[in-house]
């Protein structure tokens, strides 16, 4: 199958599941939380990816006061930040980040700044200079606010940006922002992104003379 070629002016990158494989930590922390609250851990894990913790809690415990979700989320963030065992880069992420180092890009993550720093560091990945973390948005993915803020900070229109995402909430956020989406990993496969790759070894980055970015995507 020939490679799909997408052209953009800027790239907006999710972190967990897209650049960093943190599933082991996420599952440890959220399984523990689900059991403590009388929930089925397997059912809980189906909705945790891509959202900020308080938003996940609101889905799982819809009748609980939001103040309790915010309080629990602060505890969850501290636990996740302290636990980096098993955090590794997604295959191809180091080379991908090196390839885009001089090109317009931003990290747009549901993690807060401390958690993003801990996980990118544990995976030995360069932290982008431009980043939108949980503290900078008023609404969690699937709301498009984070991606729109990332595009604005880079100085590009939404239509000129391509999002890299792994989760249902993240892909929905990218679409709601009016951006094209490259889905990464197994969670993204069934969500009909504009292109899908198993991991970042399947993406080749080319800087065009006119300043645009060409992505050669092997979807095989």
């Amino acid at each position: 199958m020939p490679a799909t070629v997408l052209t953009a002016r800027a790239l907006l990158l999710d972190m967990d599941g897209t650049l960093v494989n943190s599933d082991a930590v996420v599952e440890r922390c959220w399984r523990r939380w689900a059991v403590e609250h009388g929930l089925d851990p397997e059912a809980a894990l189906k909705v945790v990816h891509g959202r900020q913790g308080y938003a996940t809690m609101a889905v799982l415990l819809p009748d609980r006061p939001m103040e309790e979700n915010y309080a629990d989320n602060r505890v969850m963030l501290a636990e996740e930040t302290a636990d980096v065992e098993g955090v590794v880069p997604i295959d191809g992420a180091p080379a991908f980040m090196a390839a885009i180092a001089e090109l317009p890009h931003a990290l747009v993550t549901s993690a807060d700044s401390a958690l993003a720093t801990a996980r990118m560091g544990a995976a030995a990945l360069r932290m982008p200079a431009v980043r939108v973390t949980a503290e900078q948005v008023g609404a969690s993915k699937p709301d498009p606010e984070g991606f729109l803020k990332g595009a604005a900070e880079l100085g590009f229109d939404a239509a000129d940006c391509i999002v890299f995402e792994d989760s249902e909430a993240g892909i929905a956020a990218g679409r709601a922002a009016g951006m094209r989406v490259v889905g990464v990993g197994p969670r993204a496969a069934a969500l009909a992104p504009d292109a899908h790759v198993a991991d970042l070894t399947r993406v080749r980055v080319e800087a065009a003379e006119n300043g645009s970015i060409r992505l050669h995507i092997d979807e095989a």
Side-chain angles (χ1 to χ4, degrees), residues 56-78:
T56 294
M57 294 169 187
V59 171
L60 294 170
L61 296 173
D63 297 325
R64 191 167 80 148
M66 188 57 75
E67 291 77 11
E68 293 184 30
N69 295 334
Y70 287 131
D72 264 14
N73 188 48
R74 288 191 289 272
V75 174
M76 178 71 74
L77 283 171

Side-chain angles (χ1 to χ4, degrees), residues 15-17 20-27 80 86-88 90 119:
M15 181 181 70
D16 292 302
V20 173
N21 183 344
S22 57
D23 284 0
V25 179
V26 171
E27 291 190 8
E80 290 189 292
V87 174
V88 295
I90 294 292
R119 287 188 176 163

Side-chain angles (χ1 to χ4, degrees), residues 18-19 89-99 125 199-203 205:
T18 301
L19 298 175
I90 294 292
D91 287 348
F96 176 79
M97 292 300 288
L125 293 175
D199 57 49
L200 294 173
T201 65
R202 299 288 189 168
V203 181
V205 180

Side-chain angles (χ1 to χ4, degrees), residues 142-175:
D143 191 281
E145 181 184 0
F147 286 125
L148 292 172
K149 282 193 170 183
E153 189 162 347
L154 290 170
F156 295 98
D157 293 335
D160 291 326
C161 298
I162 289 178
V163 166
F164 280 74
E165 264 286 1
D166 74 300
S167 70
E168 182 175 10
I171 290 174
R175 286 179 174 146

